[in-house]
Amino acid sequence: MQFTGKTVEEATEKGLAELNISAENAEIKVLEEPIKGLFGKVKKEAVVEVKKKQTGVKRAAEFLEKVLDFLDINAKVTEDGEENKLLLITDDSAAAIGYRGEVLDALQTLAGAVANIGEKQYKKVVVDCENYREKREDTLISLAHRLEAKAADMKREIYLEPMSAYERRIIHTALAESATVKTSSSGKEPMRFVIITPNDLIADSKPYKMGQRSQREKGGRKEKGGRYNKKPSRGSGFIEEKRKAPSGFGTYLGNSLKDKT
């Protein structure tokens, strides 16, 4: 809103009073300086624009809507009841979430960066769509406990597929109190992955790599020359069904926690 006064200070005070906010919580822009005529009389009053200062999360929400529009994803960004949480409302959730949440993680990283501009203390911003975060966490916790039992049974290490730092943290936390295995992370981003190691590991045993089973393990039939003929696999029960990765974001980004070594 615009306010006028004989001086910039007077116009500003009018604006603050009208909006019932303090100067610390206001964005003030001087549009016109006052002009004085003969004998010091004000010929033209000062004009200032005063509006309530935009919160970091609100600023991030507006920024994300522009990014989503650029990606041709029709979505609205709203603030959740929780502090520093943004929700994406869209009829194309698959595009907004991405393969295993990669697009959502990228958007969350951008939102965190924009929301914290000018802030002295960094605040984590969460971006979610159709409760994906909670559903994904439940899936990973269930996966962690299934692999905990498998690692203990095989007495071999299990290498999980690459995950974001946020998702690796869920696995570590889920198995932190395990009496049969311990966890660690290895590799470099974006291919960093979790290792589940049984306490009674067989020395020199070959690790079980998720998604990288041999043809023999997949049920292939050996042919002449030592090759294996592929045949449809029923799956191990440990690898999630993959969706086609969308173009645009192919990195494991996150407004995330620090990972274990």
Side-chain angles (χ1 to χ4, degrees), residues 23-44:
E24 292 76 16
N25 295 318
E27 292 183 6
I28 303 168
K29 182 179 181 181
V30 179
L31 301 179
E32 295 181 20
E33 294 281 354
I35 299 176
K36 293 183 178 181
L38 295 175
F39 310 110
K41 290 184 178 182
V42 176
K43 184 177 180 180
K44 189 175 182 180

Side-chain angles (χ1 to χ4, degrees), residues 117-146:
I117 293 175
E119 297 290 339
K120 294 182 180 179
Q121 185 175 2
Y122 187 87
K123 293 183 179 180
K124 178 181 172 66
V125 176
V126 175
V127 178
D128 202 359
C129 180
E130 293 189 354
N131 206 28
Y132 172 82
R133 299 290 184 193
E134 184 176 345
K135 293 176 183 176
R136 179 63 174 161
E137 182 175 354
D138 290 342
T139 297
L140 290 174
I141 290 174
S142 178
L143 173 67
H145 289 302
R146 294 203 305 272

